[in-house]
Structures are given as structure tokens and as C-alpha cells.
Amino acid sequence: MKPLILDRDGVINEERDDYILSPKDWTPIKGSLEAISKAKEQGFYIIVVSNQSALGRGWMSIENLNSINRKMQSSLAKFGGKIDAFLFCPHNPADNCDCRKPKTALLDSFRLRTGINYKNCPFIGDRISDIEVAKKIGARPILVNSGKANSTPSPEVLMFDDLATALQEILFSQTT
């Protein structure tokens, strides 16, 4: 199983200042669904891992988060793709939990349940916290600038404009 780990907001879909609280708020970034579908077609196991503090703050229900995920799946299905696993931290940042990125409990627990190996797998995010967690689990950190948290990573971290460009450069160009 070849894992591909993706952050959600700012990587797959547009990020919003007022949070994505329902399916109507969820809008994919141009090219992201096609790129995920192509990765799936090439045998990647797609894992989305995200901090969802709107749950812990009481701004959104788990039902709404599941509805957003269903919309994402149905949008991907139109291109022949799908997400294999959704992992999320439901806590408020003040809770200081172990599952909020850049901590690794979400991915550690998933690895224990599935036996998946993250070593050198691509982990694509739009924040330095994504880069930090990728390094901690042995994944290959990749940063995209399609989110609101434009950051300058250390020189060894690859950086691209968006998910479609990143996947084209690091995955698809190697297999064609």
C-alpha cells in the first residue's frame, strides 16, 4: 500500500476565514480532485488528515463534518477517485490534545490499526504544522501555497503552487 497523506483545507479545498461548517461551504481548489483521482488510479492509498477545531468549539456537528466528507467523496467519484481514510482532530487548540497537528497521535493510531508504513510517503500540506508532523512520522513533507498560511519552509522541503502541480511534479512525472 502506497500512502499519500493530504491536509484538507487549503490543499484539497479552498480555505475560508469563517471555517467550512457545512457542505455548501466546501469548494475544491481547481485541479485538486483530478489530481487525487489520478493518484488513486496509480495505486495510492489516500489519507486526509486535518485539524477540525470547529467541532471542539461547538460551531459544527460531527454530522456536518460527515456531510462535508460525503460531498468531497461524491465530487471525487465524478473523476474516478476517492479518499480511503479521513483522520481528524476534533479538539479546540486550547485542549492541548495529542491528536492535533503537529502532534502525531492521529497518524500513529492509524498506523497501529492498519500497519501502514509512512516512511518517505508524500505528505502535502499548506502549513508549517503539516511539515512538522510529516517529519515526525518519517514522511516526505511537501508544502503548497494554495492555502492562507503561506510559509517559507526549510530548503529541503519541496514547495509548489497547489496540489495538482505538486502531484504532477513528484508522482506523475516519475511514472510516465
Side-chain angles (χ1 to χ4, degrees):
M1 183 173 357
K2 301 184 298 188
L4 170 60
I5 304 170
L6 305 172
D7 178 44
R8 191 189 83 175
D9 301 338
V11 175
I12 298 171
N13 56 269
E14 300 289 342
E15 196 164 3
R16 293 174 52 126
D17 290 333
D18 58 348
Y19 292 82
I20 296 165
L21 302 175
S22 72
K24 71 177 176 45
D25 299 334
W26 187 86
T27 305
I29 292 172
K30 184 178 185 207
S32 67
L33 301 180
E34 296 89 336
I36 292 168
S37 299
K38 187 171 180 181
K40 189 68 190 155
E41 181 181 291
Q42 292 187 7
F44 282 90
Y45 185 87
I46 314 294
I47 303 165
V48 172
V49 59
S50 65
N51 292 335
Q52 293 297 318
S53 66
L55 287 167
R57 293 176 169 149
W59 300 344
M60 175 174 60
S61 68
I62 190 70
E63 292 80 12
N64 276 7
L65 179 60
N66 289 336
S67 293
I68 293 165
N69 291 343
R70 280 192 298 275
K71 180 178 180 182
M72 188 184 317
Q73 290 286 42
S74 108
S75 298
L76 274 165
K78 294 172 185 169
F79 298 98
K82 77 171 195 164
I83 304 297
D84 294 295
F86 288 96
L87 310 178
F88 63 92
C89 169
H91 301 108
N92 185 320
D95 294 338
N96 197 26
C97 64
D98 288 333
C99 60
R100 185 172 178 80
K101 293 182 299 179
K103 294 183 181 173
T104 62
L106 275 177
L107 288 157
D108 292 341
S109 171
F110 190 69
R111 184 185 66 242
L112 290 173
R113 288 192 319 269
T114 63
I116 200 162
N117 183 355
Y118 302 130
K119 185 162 178 53
N120 294 321
C121 81
F123 187 128
I124 302 175
D126 68 326
R127 297 176 185 266
I128 293 299
S129 60
D130 296 316
I131 300 309
E132 290 173 13
V133 74
K135 288 179 177 180
K136 289 176 186 176
I137 65 167
R140 182 170 37 144
I142 299 154
L143 196 68
V144 293
N145 278 323
S146 48
K148 293 191 179 286
N150 291 336
S151 304
T152 304
S154 53
E156 77 276 3
V157 175
L158 295 174
M159 193 157 79
F160 299 96
D161 288 338
D162 54 34
L163 178 61
T165 305
L167 290 179
Q168 180 61 44
E169 292 298 317
I170 63 165
L171 298 183
F172 307 148
S173 64
Q174 298 170 5
T175 59
T176 56

